Amino acid sequence: MAAPSLLKRAVRRLIRPHGSVVRQGEFVTFRPEGFVEAEDPGSLLCRHYYEVMQLRRCLGLIAEQGVKPGRSLEIGCGFGRLSPYIAEHFEQHTAVDINTWAVSEASRFYPKISFSVASATELPFPDHSFDAVITWTVLQHIPNSLVGKALSEIKRVAKPKSLIILCEATLYAGRPEKGWQYTHDRFPELYAEAFSPRRLIVSEFITELDRISSMGSPRRLMVFEPLDQADPDKQ
Ligand SMILES: C[S@@+](CC[C@H](N)C(=O)[O-])C[C@H]1O[C@@H](n2cnc3c(N)ncnc32)[C@H](O)[C@@H]1O
């Protein structure tokens, strides 16, 4: 069935050269049908639940790492498909995105979660507010010139004893930036340096995703450990 699917993709590219990606100022966001792409509804559901399973695996580290299940922040939440799964691990879940439509849909679906419009590069929260900060295929869409700002914002709003969880494309890191509509793969070391002295305790591709849905680049799960506040050398 490779040929019809290739043909379908070629036709789609002709109609929409940038796919479902839409430029929004310096950033990119997505048309309603394009936040999570898949060939058909079945593979979309498979992909979604596979990602939920991986996310829950990372969130399981909260207790293991002695992190308080207090406040969590999700950056680039889209229409909130992963938000309730994060919210189930914390007393209070906050989620932001630059896409006004997506944020208003998310608020409608999940009224108990606090959604608002904000950019990763300018988070409207005080320092050390959150016990966990999560991005799921978001930083990979932020251009190289601005990603440093987003990473220092994540570091600023995360409590020292918090978990930072990222799921981002990294396979083609080192290749030149291809243009605004594309994914900007980055080496995990870039994230590790930004969050130093935290250690990267999980760094692995979620490869099953490639079998389920044809992705441009497999996603890498990255989890950064909480800082040990008792040890001043580790802060
Ligand atoms: C591929 S979607 C992923 C959405 C969601 N995390 C999910 O997995 O369903 C990427 C999201 O990042 C958001 N985004 C892009 N640049 C952003 C920025 N600077 N700050 C916050 N969100 C951003 C987009 O609007 C979009 O909702």
Side-chain angles (χ1 to χ4, degrees):
M1 293 302 280
S5 133
L6 270 180
L7 189 67
K8 247 198 264 171
R9 255 194 256 173
V11 172
R12 237 188 278 150
R13 281 280 170 237
L14 268 178
I15 302 168
R16 280 188 178 165
H18 302 315
S20 56
V21 183
V22 190
R23 190 164 195 162
Q24 188 176 316
E26 298 164 295
F27 304 112
V28 296
T29 187
F30 296 83
R31 293 192 172 87
E33 75 280 12
F35 280 83
V36 189
E37 281 180 297
E39 297 291 314
D40 49 67
S43 47
L44 183 64
L45 259 189
C46 276
R47 177 182 163 181
H48 172 66
Y49 283 111
Y50 176 73
E51 286 181 81
V52 168
M53 187 181 79
Q54 296 294 343
L55 174 63
R56 280 186 166 147
R57 185 161 67 88
C58 295
L59 290 166
L61 292 168
I62 295 163
E64 207 177 284
Q65 294 287 323
V67 171
K68 205 174 123 213
R71 293 187 70 195
S72 50
L73 173 67
E74 179 187 3
I75 301 169
C77 58
F79 58 88
R81 95 187 154 100
L82 298 174
S83 309
Y85 302 99
I86 303 171
E88 72 192 7
H89 290 78
F90 295 91
E91 283 156 23
Q92 197 191 335
H93 183 49
T94 300
V96 298
D97 200 289
I98 52 165
N99 187 312
T100 314
W101 168 83
V103 166
S104 93
E105 286 293 286
S107 313
R108 203 160 59 82
F109 293 144
Y110 310 111
K112 287 193 184 144
I113 297 173
S114 162
F115 290 98
S116 55
V117 176
S119 169
T121 51
E122 217 168 315
L123 294 171
F125 308 107
D127 298 358
H128 303 160
S129 297
F130 296 98
D131 300 287
V133 181
I134 297 116
T135 74
W136 202 270
T137 64
V138 178
L139 300 173
Q140 65 187 41
H141 297 298
I142 296 185
N144 286 340
S145 56
L146 292 168
V147 76
K149 214 168 165 206
L151 296 176
S152 43
E153 279 294 85
I154 293 175
K155 198 169 171 182
R156 181 183 67 75
V157 300
K159 289 182 186 172
K161 205 170 168 54
S162 65
L163 217 54
I164 297 176
I165 300 173
L166 314 179
C167 178
E168 303 290 342
T170 61
L171 185 67
Y172 302 118
R175 290 194 183 177
E177 211 169 31
K178 280 186 269 170
W180 66 264
Q181 73 271 44
Y182 291 104
T183 292
H184 308 290
D185 291 27
R186 300 189 174 95
F187 292 113
E189 289 79 7
L190 178 129
Y191 298 111
E193 199 182 318
F195 299 136
S196 159
R198 284 173 197 258
R199 274 184 321 129
L200 185 55
I201 50 172
V202 175
S203 178
E204 56 191 64
F205 281 123
I206 46 177
T207 46
E208 283 298 310
L209 210 49
D210 289 336
R211 294 203 298 128
I212 299 168
S213 101
S214 54
M215 311 276 302
S217 169
R219 305 318 187 222
R220 181 186 287 273
L221 268 185
M222 289 167 275
V223 181
F224 294 87
E225 69 171 356
L227 292 175
D228 182 357
Q229 289 164 288
D231 180 355
D233 291 341
K234 286 190 88 187
Q235 301 215 21

